[in-house]
Amino acid sequence: MTELQRTSLYDAHVAAGAKIVPFAGWEMPVEYEGVRAEHLAVRSTCGLFDVSHMGQIDVTGPGSREFLQSILTNDITRIGPGQAQYTLLPDDDGGVIDDLLAYALLDRILLVVNASNIAPCVERVTSLAPAGVTVVNRSPEVAMLALQGPTWAKALTPIASPEPFSLPYMEATEATVAGVPCLVARTGYTGEPGVEIMCPAEAAPAIWDALMAVPDAPVPAGLAARDTLRLEMGYPLYGNELGRDRSPISAGLKWACDLKHGGFPGAERMQREAEDGTPDRLVGIVLTEKGIPRGGCAVMADGQQVGTVTSGTLSPSLGVGAALAYVSPDHAHVGAKLSIDVRGKQKSAEVTSLPMVDTSPRKEHHS
Amino acid sequence: MSDETYPGDLRYHPEHDWARVDGDVATFGVTWFAQDALGEVVYYDPPAVGDTVTAGSSYGELESVKAVSDIIAPASGEVVEVNGAVSDTPELVNGDPYGEGWLIKVRVSDPAELDALMDEPAYRAYLAGLNG
């Protein structure tokens, strides 16, 4: 077993009373005061997450954009300087190596990838890169904080310049936060408006402390709340909803696959699946009685298994058991009556629309 | 959340369950250590009154947002009462694990099983061993 890594904010987490757990090779805060309070704070005010475990890969050199266009699923030519795009890195069979955000910056294209997939992403991109394109893994030196929730701008105002409030959703800008030069992006994984702040690792504690000291300070929020927030939105999590064993199409990510132009690995399979359908599809499910579905639980209809839960929890916003699951197309429509086998007990459930909560990360700042 | 305590009048099972003995009826619950490890409890799936529980076996489940934990019976017997308040307000287990957060009451079938459980100093020593 390799030594677990700590982010530069480890001491701040311990000081804030975090419960620390191993996650993707890191010692990360899973919760502070409690996942429900943190979750609800992000939905109603704002929360601050340490996501420094995530990976940052710089792609530079002439032809970088054309190269990435040939290996990523989304149409990267659609984003201009400062814009970010959700995309996928497929393997040769159209399975998913990772889902990621690509940022078109002035001097480079920045790929922000999942912590558990830094090595496979670096290896894949490097192995395919043509002469002149340079791939650099900057993950060890970059920290990342996610300030998420409707009052994010109030928290950031006193310590940021220029004020990044007019930044549109899915755009990034350079800014100074607590005296630290940062890349501030209107992105996130919670469904709430907010920003993600990338900075030199050693400077992250200064930003964390400054945010915690403003009058409208965010609540420190851990990985557990990050997971319940994304689940309510229906955002897939790599390793649960995404993996090498399926293409993005059954996960409902056709919108992030540029099938019109194609040309990337697995495009033909994805095109075929988009036309013919897939054996199962990702849906959101809520229990209509008490109970909590968990990953691996069978989804049942008329006594037959019709799918499998990939992520399950108690939704803090709805107060009911909630899941993401792959189910057969016959049962994938909103309102479909199902049951979930929770350790031998059949819990009645139904397919729900996604997101499960009424929110949007696109909301602009008004105050 | 509550402060870490282990009352002296309880008997403790290594799976972090406690028993409070009152005549031939024992009240069961989980220890401060167990609720702290689990995190905020959000669901309690209790047995039914009249069910038989067996020492060392699971009689129900406590769930946090992230995890499920079997609740282990420290002694065998018949369930005579279930704490419905915990079903409605599961976080009572976090706030008051030895009081309002009790889980079931059992008519004990073999009192010798209770004698075999740890007392408070032994359980504290056991916990210290787990950490070391």
Side-chain angles (χ1 to χ4, degrees), chain A residues 12 26 36 180 267 356:
Chain A
W26 295 79
R36 280 202 296 182
V180 179
M356 299 177 188

Side-chain angles (χ1 to χ4, degrees), chain A residues 5 26 52-58 111 113-115 118-119 122 136-144 199 201:
Chain A
Q5 300 183 76
W26 295 79
S52 299
H53 57 313
M54 294 189 73
Q56 290 80 19
I57 302 168
D58 278 352
L111 308 178
V113 306
N114 282 303
I118 295 172
V122 170
V136 179
N137 176 16
R138 293 181 56 240
S139 310
E141 70 217 50
V142 178
M144 189 159 152
C199 67

Side-chain angles (χ1 to χ4, degrees), chain A residues 335-354:
Chain A
K337 304 287 187 220
L338 301 166
S339 64
I340 296 181
D341 183 328
V342 182
R343 294 178 302 284
K345 291 184 182 169
Q346 303 304 313
K347 303 282 185 179
S348 43
E350 68 179 41
V351 176
T352 185
S353 55
L354 293 172

Side-chain angles (χ1 to χ4, degrees), chain A residues 6 15 28-29 33 64 67 73 96 110 144 156 195 205 228 230 239 290 300 321 347-348:
Chain A
R6 292 179 175 179
M28 297 299 291
E33 286 298 305
S64 292
F67 162 56
T73 61
V96 180
L110 167 65
M144 189 159 152
L156 197 54
V195 289
T228 53
R230 71 93 197 166
K290 282 179 91 168
M300 312 291 290
K347 303 282 185 179
S348 43

Side-chain angles (χ1 to χ4, degrees), chain A residues 271-284:
Chain A
Q271 182 71 49
R272 195 169 60 243
E273 290 183 353
E275 286 169 8
D276 300 347
T278 50
D280 53 20
R281 279 162 48 192
L282 187 65
V283 297

Side-chain angles (χ1 to χ4, degrees), chain A residues 38 64 74 90 96 173 183 190 213 230 237 251 259 263 267 289 296 335 364:
Chain A
E38 294 162 29
S64 292
N74 212 336
V96 180
T173 187
L183 185 69
T190 63
R230 71 93 197 166
L237 171 65
L259 299 177
E289 62 177 299
E364 297 304 323

Side-chain angles (χ1 to χ4, degrees), chain A residues 231 283-287 293-294 309-313 321-325 340 352 354 356:
Chain A
L231 194 156
V283 297
I285 297 179
V286 289
L287 292 197
R294 302 287 180 181
V309 171
T310 48
S311 297
T313 191
L324 298 178
I340 296 181
T352 185
L354 293 172
M356 299 177 188

